[in-house]
Amino acid sequence: MALTKTEARAQLRARGLRATAPRVAVLIELARATGPLSYSEVLARLDEGAWDPTTVYRNLIKLRDAGMATTLGRVDGIDRYELVREGQPAHAHFLCSACGQLACLPSSVTASLAADGRWAAAVENATVQLRGTCPDCLP
């Protein structure tokens, strides 16, 4: 889903964050991504040298802390960030042991990650990660 600068600024302000140019750029890159991105991948997608690397990292943390992005915990020692999209259900991810790609899996591949009944209010988030060899790397 493409996100314009105007939409990005509005979303940031709605979460109580200042809409700085680097923060807007990082949010737009997360919105463009088709899967979770590492800090290095976000940095590479931004214009070469446009932003200080420390500023980019701090903005990823700010977006995570504001609930606008989620962190997929330390996949092979590297945090990956994914935009939290309104109405998007929690979903599982697949880590390819051959190429290292981390991909979002469709809900048809995994069971629902939603909690019902008395557990609905207790579960704050869910992370499911499957590992193996992705279809592109299979012989």
Side-chain angles (χ1 to χ4, degrees), residues 3-4 9 13 44 48 57 95 105 116 119 127-128 136:
L3 190 64
T4 67
R9 286 184 190 108
R13 289 182 183 127
E48 185 71 30
Y57 179 76
L95 177 64
L105 289 173
D116 291 331
W119 289 103
T127 303
V128 173
D136 295 335

Side-chain angles (χ1 to χ4, degrees), residues 39-97:
Y39 155 74
S40 298
E41 291 168 327
V42 172
L43 201 54
R45 287 170 171 243
L46 297 171
D47 291 334
E48 185 71 30
W51 314 112
D52 175 65
T54 303
T55 301
V56 172
Y57 179 76
R58 287 180 180 157
N59 279 296
L60 284 168
I61 300 304
K62 281 279 191 189
L63 293 173
R64 182 202 64 198
D65 291 348
M68 298 181 77
T70 187
T71 305
L72 300 169
R74 315 272 327 146
V75 176
D76 285 345
I78 300 170
D79 284 339
R80 307 280 169 94
Y81 299 87
E82 184 174 47
L83 184 67
V84 173
R85 300 177 194 273
E86 293 296 320
Q88 180 186 33
H91 57 278
H93 296 87
F94 183 89
L95 177 64
C96 179
S97 55

